[in-house]
Amino acid sequence: MIQDPEKEQELTDYFLSQMGEPIKKYINEKKEKGYLDAKYLWDDLKKNRLVYIYRHHTRDKRGNTEEEIRFVGTIFLIVERGLIFVPNKGTNPETIKKYLEENPKGFEMIEVLKSRFPN
């Protein structure tokens, strides 16, 4: 996770220039309010990895003052393709069965990351 606006912009720009068009992309930006909510997902077959970037920027007033606080947080997640989650041992088997009936690939990392995007 990077919270430095310049460094996170530099790294995001690097991925955008190197990775090509993402398989999933979502951007909600309100520049006048200093707000950004953006997500990118690449399935990098050449390097056998998934790359996920989640950027979130906000500005807010500090208490009853006019002083603004800027929040910047960006998560860069790079994982091996084919990674599969294992359900929590305490999860009801019927719940798991129903979930997999709805999405047979539901525990694959790429499906988990895709679920983070609005439809």
Side-chain angles (χ1 to χ4, degrees), residues 2-3 12 21 31 34 36-37 44 71 75 82 85 107-108 119:
I2 297 177
Q3 294 178 312
T12 299
E21 190 64 28
K31 288 185 181 182
L36 172 68
D37 188 37
D44 186 355
F71 299 98
I75 296 171
F85 284 97
F107 289 113
E108 293 180 17
N119 292 332

Side-chain angles (χ1 to χ4, degrees), residues 60-81:
D60 205 353
K61 299 277 186 204
R62 182 184 298 252
N64 293 328
T65 70
E66 288 300 310
E67 183 183 0
E68 281 192 346
I69 304 172
R70 184 173 183 198
F71 299 98
V72 175
T74 300
I75 296 171
F76 293 89
L77 179 65
I78 302 169
V79 296
E80 183 178 333
R81 287 183 85 247

Side-chain angles (χ1 to χ4, degrees), residues 61-117:
K61 299 277 186 204
R62 182 184 298 252
N64 293 328
T65 70
E66 288 300 310
E67 183 183 0
E68 281 192 346
I69 304 172
R70 184 173 183 198
F71 299 98
V72 175
T74 300
I75 296 171
F76 293 89
L77 179 65
I78 302 169
V79 296
E80 183 178 333
R81 287 183 85 247
L83 185 67
I84 297 174
F85 284 97
V86 176
N88 190 340
K89 290 181 181 183
T91 305
N92 181 332
E94 289 302 315
T95 303
I96 295 170
K97 181 180 176 188
K98 183 175 186 253
Y99 178 69
L100 290 174
E101 285 172 356
E102 292 171 3
N103 184 357
K105 296 181 179 185
F107 289 113
E108 293 180 17
M109 175 60 94
I110 193 165
E111 293 300 315
V112 171
L113 291 174
K114 283 180 180 179
S115 73
R116 295 175 176 242
F117 290 80

Side-chain angles (χ1 to χ4, degrees), residues 38-50:
K39 302 171 187 181
Y40 307 88
L41 176 62
W42 291 272
D43 187 359
D44 186 355
L45 299 172
K46 288 181 188 173
K47 294 189 178 178
N48 197 37
R49 66 184 181 174
L50 301 173

Side-chain angles (χ1 to χ4, degrees), residues 11-26:
L11 193 52
T12 299
D13 289 345
Y14 170 79
F15 275 103
L16 290 170
S17 72
Q18 297 296 307
M19 301 293 296
E21 190 64 28
I23 61 170
K24 293 286 251 179
K25 177 168 110 176
Y26 169 80

